[in-house]
């Protein structure tokens, strides 16, 4: 991605996940906003984005952060503002992965994985993706999650449009620590 695409993608993720008020918009049910309303608000706040650039961002191969449907757009996941994405509960693969860093392990050992500032804990379908997520914070550590066991134990899983798996929390007994 070009620098311009990357910085715009990050700013849009910030607005649509965390701070819609930063450009004076509110998110509708499901976290959606009209594309026209979004583009006008971005322009009003000195962050003009053309609809061509937005299309390239949404189609962008890298992270699929956004979903567009019926002239509306939303972040696929990662929210801290309270939104209900109306995702259907899904049967997870037997094992999922979580990328983190060593300094969090003592606390994860005790408290399990918690959603922290976001609405859900984020889990990856493969080790490589999890390592990339962990590497945002330092030397990555990949944890295995017994998703089959959790699911059998009554935990609900959701698959976001971009393949990220979401669940409310992961108690320590379901985590394989290094
Ligand atoms: C850690 C990116 C101590 C957890 C990625 C993580 C992802 C604990 C951090 C998405 C803990 C939360 C989400 C506990 C969890 N004690 N630390 N009990 N429980 N943690 O950013 O999963 O670029 O909210 O290990 O690709 O890192 O934004 O979650 O390190 O999909 O599109 O607390 O963000 O996507 O950090 O990343 P985050 P995450 P984007």
């Amino acid at each position: 991605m070009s620098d311009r695409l990357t910085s715009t993608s990050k700013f849009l993720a910030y607005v649509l996940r965390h701070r819609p008020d930063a450009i004076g918009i509110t998110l509708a049910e499901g976290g959606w906003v009209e594309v026209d309303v979004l583009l006008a608000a971005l322009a009003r706040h000195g962050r003009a984005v053309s609809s061509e650039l937005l299309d390239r961002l949404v189609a962008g191969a890298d992270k699929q952060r956004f979903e567009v449907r019926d002239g509306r757009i939303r972040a696929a996941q990662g929210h801290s503002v309270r939104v209900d994405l109306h995702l259907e509960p899904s049967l997870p693969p037997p094992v999922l992965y979580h990328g983190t860093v060593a300094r969090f392990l003592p606390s994860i050992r005790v408290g399990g994985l918690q959603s922290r500032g976001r609405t859900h804990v984020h889990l990856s379908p493969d080790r490589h993706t999890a390592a990339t997520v962990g590497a945002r914070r330092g030397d990555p550590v990949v944890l295995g999650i017994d998703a089959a066991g959790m699911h059998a134990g009554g935990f609900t899983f959701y698959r976001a449009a971009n393949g990220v798996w979401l669940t409310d929390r992961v108690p320590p007994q379901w985590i394989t620590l290094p």
Side-chain angles (χ1 to χ4, degrees), residues 28-46:
E29 182 68 23
W32 298 100
V33 60
E34 300 287 333
V35 170
D36 292 350
V37 170
L38 174 68
L39 294 182
L42 286 167
R44 273 201 310 278
H45 286 78

Side-chain angles (χ1 to χ4, degrees), residues 78-150:
H79 299 80
S80 61
V81 290
R82 293 206 65 79
V83 297
D84 181 349
L85 296 176
H86 298 289
L87 298 173
E88 290 295 320
S90 294
L91 180 67
V95 179
L96 287 167
Y97 300 92
H98 179 82
T100 188
V101 282
R103 66 179 184 276
F104 293 158
L105 293 183
S107 158
I108 290 173
R109 241 181 262 280
V110 176
L113 292 173
Q114 289 158 9
S115 58
R116 303 269 149 150
R118 310 211 191 216
T119 55
H120 294 90
V121 171
H122 289 223
L123 302 172
S124 306
D126 58 82
R127 283 185 168 279
H128 176 77
T129 308
T132 308
V133 173
R136 288 153 53 240
R137 300 173 195 282
D139 222 0
V141 173
V142 174
L143 311 179
I145 310 298
D146 178 2
M150 285 182 70

